Amino acid sequence: MPIPSNGAANGTSSPRPKILIPEKVSPDGLALLQSSFEVDEKRGLSAEELQGIIADYDGLIIRSETKVTASLLDAAKKLKVVARAGVGIDNVDVEAATKNGVIVVNSPVGNINAAAEHTIALMMAVARNIGDACASLKAGKWERSRLTGIEVKGKTLAIIGVGKVGLTVARAAKGLGMNCIAYDPYANQKLAAAASVKLLPGLASILTEADFLTIHTPLIASTKGMIGAAELATMKPSARILNVARGGMIDETALLAALEAGSIAGAGIDVFTSEPPPSGADSSAARLIAHPKVVATPHLGASTVEAQENVSIDVCEQVRAILTGELPRSAVNAPIILPEEYRTLKPFVELVERMGALYMQHFARTAHSTGTTAAGSTGPAFSTDFELAYEGALAGLNTTKPLFAALVKGLLKPITDSEGLNVNMVNAELVARDRGIAVNEQRRRQGGDAEGYSSSVVLRARTGASGTAGAGAGAGGQDEHVIAGFVSNNTPYISKLSRFSTSFVPEGALLICRNFDSPGKIGIVGQRLGKAGVNISSMTVAPVDKEIGQDEGKDGKNEALMILKIDREVEDEVIKNLISEEGVLEASVVVL
């Protein structure tokens, strides 16, 4: 769902959102942000210094060096987005970000070609002993016979992970005349076949066939240490290993032992378990780097001018989108929503959030407010059991997660505002679970509460308080409250408040009065509000829904709602003054 900017709701000016950039970002990327946001470039910050200032920022753009920990995210009270200028997000605690409602984005496509080319470069360097040969020549030696290499044509390249980078490597390898096999339980089989990659059923099956082995997967629990001593022992003594993905997937100690024993012929390593790798005689990484059969580079996979520019621009565009209420392209912890679907969802996000707030302020508030209900009415308890039904075309969308999040945000806004919790589609499910709120989503392609419109939304709140008479309830009370709405010309409308049919825009300060439908009520309410200095800008009368049928109240009189848009919130004393035999039965003020 949209992440709001720092603009004040009442239209008053407020400081521009602030973005912190502790690592290098391209000038073109920065230019995308500087016109709309306050951008601070502060390189070389220690973890303590970063934590000390992060509370001031709405956005954080990083590369691979900055560690975004749970403690940092807990301190970042205003933070809405962490953007990683690159593919990997292993330096970001995504789970903690989700709990804090912080969207994490990366740039999974900006450095694909750079990483693939570096893989091929390392493969050729290892095949032809480029590193050892260069060092030998610079040392004044001429060792042609010792440095005889191999050709890659006709050799088998085994690829672990055939995502975008893995497939790009495969296509380049095919151009060199190599045979490509792969293991990836999540592979797109059609794309793999189009790249002439033969998928094998398990890791063990590609290890035994590999002349070269390359890894292109993220570092997760299932890939950490995936190539250890046991796996290396199954490979050909002539095989060579490449890693331009993430350190930690190859056991560095085991690889060093295999190289020294001659059971592996060589390795091209761009990434390490710890970066920079520790030095010293007891460091396996340092000994790997120094080994003559290893070509090592300092995490250069994405280090091309083009890739750095691409990922910088990509993440800066996504940060700008999020901080201005739009959607990112590559959110790690939020659903990907197609632009055309988002255009449909966006006005309904606003509608559903206001429906949640309307329920809390009109129905639920009577449980703990005084002077806002008729004499003897206790009002319904706060519901934690909701049904949110999407009717018509809206029910056909791939995801309705922004609408779920909008409801939770609307329900909890008075509470979360005071706690500083940012509720959005990233953390809405966690927040709802923690608060004990159950939302049952329903899709109904046919029908719709707002006849004549392609989509509508119906919210049902079950209080389990049968016999109470909350605002909008009949004389006998009810244990379910209904709010229905639709969107027309991108403007949200409420079409039903429990028994009452209506059509009003849920915005600003609204006074909702339940009264007997008899002459003179409007005049009485207007007069009493006028004496209190309250101006009415518009009014809607809501009769009982025809399908429900009119319940008769005292003396056989029918009931109705008056929804008045007023220029400000009113005091409890003014509300109490409205409730009388000649005035209204119940009244509540809603601010949306």
Side-chain angles (χ1 to χ4, degrees):
M1 67 186 292
I3 307 298
S5 67
N6 283 358
N10 60 8
T12 59
S13 61
S14 61
R16 298 193 301 173
K18 296 179 67 176
I19 300 170
L20 176 62
I21 306 179
E23 300 182 62
K24 185 178 179 181
V25 171
S26 76
D28 286 346
L30 290 174
L32 293 171
L33 302 173
Q34 288 168 335
S35 61
S36 302
F37 308 104
E38 185 178 335
V39 179
D40 290 344
E41 291 185 88
K42 296 185 178 182
R43 299 184 196 172
L45 293 173
S46 68
E48 292 75 18
E49 290 171 330
L50 178 59
Q51 186 147 337
I53 64 173
I54 193 63
D56 294 333
Y57 292 93
D58 303 88
L60 174 65
I61 300 176
I62 61 168
R63 303 191 78 91
S64 59
E65 295 180 6
T66 304
K67 308 300 181 186
V68 182
T69 63
S71 60
L72 179 68
L73 290 160
D74 288 342
K77 300 302 183 184
K78 294 171 57 180
L79 197 64
K80 297 176 178 66
V81 56
V82 172
R84 162 73 163 90
V87 177
I89 41 86
D90 44 287
N91 55 328
V92 179
D93 190 328
V94 178
E95 182 178 354
T98 300
K99 289 180 180 178
N100 284 280
V102 177
I103 293 182
V104 179
V105 301
N106 64 350
S107 180
V109 299
N111 57 13
I112 289 171
N113 193 66
E117 286 188 0
H118 198 65
T119 302
I120 297 297
L122 284 182
M123 181 176 69
M124 298 302 298
V126 172
R128 301 304 296 268
N129 300 311
I130 300 296
D132 192 4
C134 182
S136 172
L137 191 59
K138 287 185 177 182
K141 300 177 183 179
W142 190 262
E143 301 180 287
R144 292 182 66 194
S145 58
R146 183 181 73 83
L147 296 167
T148 301
I150 64 168
E151 295 181 11
V152 300
K153 183 179 181 180
K155 302 299 190 299
T156 295
L157 175 63
I159 306 170
I160 302 175
V162 282
K164 293 182 175 65
V165 177
L167 287 174
T168 304
V169 169
R171 294 185 187 103
K174 292 297 291 185
L176 295 170
M178 301 185 77
N179 303 312
C180 294
I181 61 175
Y183 167 65
D184 186 339
Y186 310 105
N188 184 315
Q189 296 189 10
K190 290 183 179 179
L191 290 178
S196 300
V197 176
K198 181 181 179 182
L199 292 172
L200 297 183
L203 178 61
S205 58
I206 69 168
L207 293 178
T208 56
E209 295 189 35
D211 295 307
F212 293 87
L213 175 71
T214 183
I215 303 174
H216 299 289
T217 70
L219 180 63
I220 56 178
S222 61
T223 61
K224 188 174 183 179
M226 68 188 303
I227 304 298
E231 288 75 21
L232 293 168
T234 67
M235 298 182 70
K236 302 174 184 178
S238 59
R240 292 159 171 85
I241 293 178
L242 312 168
N243 189 6
V244 187
R246 280 289 177 267
M249 290 186 282
I250 299 175
D251 184 325
E252 292 168 350
T253 301
L255 177 58
L256 177 64
L259 289 166
E260 291 179 340
S263 56
I264 291 293
I269 306 296
D270 184 50
V271 289
F272 300 88
T273 302
S274 296
E275 295 184 353
S279 58
D282 60 342
S283 167
S284 295
R287 292 168 64 191
L288 267 179
I289 291 167
H291 199 284
K293 294 182 180 179
V294 174
V295 178
T297 52
H299 203 147
L300 298 181
S303 294
T304 65
V305 172
E306 295 86 353
Q308 298 296 298
E309 185 76 6
N310 290 341
V311 298
S312 293
I313 291 174
D314 187 15
V315 298
C316 287
E317 286 177 343
Q318 293 190 76
V319 168
R320 181 178 63 180
I322 291 168
L323 294 181
T324 55
E326 300 299 325
L327 289 177
R329 287 189 295 273
S330 303
V332 174
N333 58 345
I336 300 300
I337 302 173
L338 299 175
E340 56 270 23
E341 287 204 337
Y342 183 63
R343 284 192 290 272
T344 300
L345 280 169
K346 190 174 181 179
F348 283 95
V349 167
E350 182 180 5
L351 169 65
V352 173
E353 182 178 333
R354 293 185 185 183
M355 288 168 73
L358 179 58
Y359 168 78
M360 284 297 295
Q361 296 181 60
H362 176 55
F363 291 124
R365 186 166 62 179
T366 59
H368 51 79
S369 295
T370 59
T372 59
T373 62
S377 173
T378 60
F382 168 55
S383 174
T384 56
D385 184 9
F386 298 91
E387 179 185 278
L388 193 59
Y390 314 117
E391 302 188 336
L394 195 64
L397 297 179
N398 289 324
T399 181
T400 54
K401 193 167 185 177
L403 302 178
F404 176 98
L407 175 62
V408 176
K409 183 176 181 180
L411 291 171
L412 296 180
K413 194 173 191 305
I415 305 170
T416 55
D417 276 356
S418 63
E419 295 177 353
L421 177 62
N422 176 36
V423 181
N424 55 36
M425 68 179 177
V426 173
N427 66 345
E429 290 184 6
L430 291 174
V431 172
R433 186 180 63 201
D434 290 345
R435 305 280 179 169
I437 296 172
V439 181
N440 177 28
E441 293 184 279
Q442 300 287 330
R443 294 172 182 246
R444 300 167 184 160
R445 294 182 181 274
Q446 300 299 323
D449 199 82
E451 186 176 352
Y453 294 95
S454 62
S455 297
S456 63
V457 181
V458 180
L459 172 66
R460 285 182 168 84
R462 297 179 178 89
T463 66
S466 182
T468 61
Q478 61 183 48
D479 60 4
E480 179 180 83
H481 292 290
V482 178
I483 302 176
F486 63 94
V487 171
S488 178
N489 294 323
N490 288 322
T491 300
Y493 286 86
I494 299 299
S495 59
K496 180 183 288 187
L497 284 176
S498 283
R499 298 180 296 120
F500 300 95
S501 293
T502 183
S503 180
F504 68 91
V505 177
E507 67 178 9
L510 302 172
L511 175 61
I512 302 177
C513 301
R514 182 170 66 90
N515 54 272
F516 291 130
D517 191 10
S518 58
K521 297 296 183 183
I522 295 173
I524 292 170
V525 171
Q527 184 182 42
R528 293 181 183 180
L529 289 178
K531 287 183 179 180
V534 179
N535 185 52
I536 301 172
S537 60
S538 65
M539 185 192 75
T540 300
V541 175
V544 169
D545 192 313
K546 293 179 181 178
E547 293 183 4
I548 296 175
Q550 179 65 273
D551 289 337
E552 291 186 349
K554 186 177 179 180
D555 299 326
K557 297 176 181 177
N558 294 329
E559 292 183 0
L561 290 184
M562 279 189 287
I563 299 101
L564 304 107
K565 187 170 184 180
I566 52 180
D567 61 349
R568 63 177 176 87
E569 288 189 70
V570 296
E571 300 78 11
D572 284 349
E573 202 58 40
V574 175
I575 298 295
K576 289 180 181 179
N577 191 40
L578 293 174
I579 300 172
S580 65
E581 288 293 323
E582 68 273 14
V584 301
L585 304 172
E586 292 178 348
S588 65
V589 177
V590 174
V591 180
L592 303 171

